[in-house]
Amino acid sequence: MLSAEVSLYPQKTARASEIINESLQSLAQQGVNYQVGPISTEIHGSEEQVWSGIRSLFAKASSAGEVNMVVTFSNSAHKDQK
């Protein structure tokens, strides 16, 4: 199991929220579990699912223009995972 905490920061746009929300929709298509928070999104799944989700998230966001993305990965167990 792998998890990632990701934050997207679209640059030079007045559509940042729209770009972020559209990009998050790509995660649902990857079959990963994710939870949207106020400043970041947590992604959980197999290594393949999480990496694929991160790639699709970045690809979708960057298709709208310049974007910064900050990601923290963890392979440690979470309190809700056993």
Side-chain angles (χ1 to χ4, degrees):
M1 183 68 79
L2 186 66
S3 65
E5 183 177 356
V6 59
S7 298
L8 279 175
Y9 302 101
Q11 304 295 300
K12 303 176 186 174
T13 182
R15 301 178 42 239
S17 293
E18 182 181 336
I19 292 167
I20 292 168
N21 289 329
E22 289 173 358
S23 298
L24 288 170
Q25 292 175 7
S26 71
L27 291 177
Q29 298 169 350
Q30 296 298 317
V32 296
N33 296 317
Y34 65 97
Q35 174 99 23
V36 177
I39 60 172
S40 65
T41 299
E42 291 185 25
I43 303 170
H44 305 278
S46 69
E47 285 191 32
E48 183 175 317
Q49 289 172 318
V50 173
W51 283 109
S52 180
I54 292 294
R55 280 192 299 274
S56 69
L57 187 66
F58 186 80
K60 181 65 176 174
S62 63
S63 72
E66 294 179 21
V67 63
N68 290 337
M69 185 166 81
V70 178
V71 185
T72 302
F73 292 97
S74 176
N75 66 353
S76 63
H78 289 78
K79 62 182 175 190
D80 59 343
Q81 299 173 353
K82 297 181 181 177

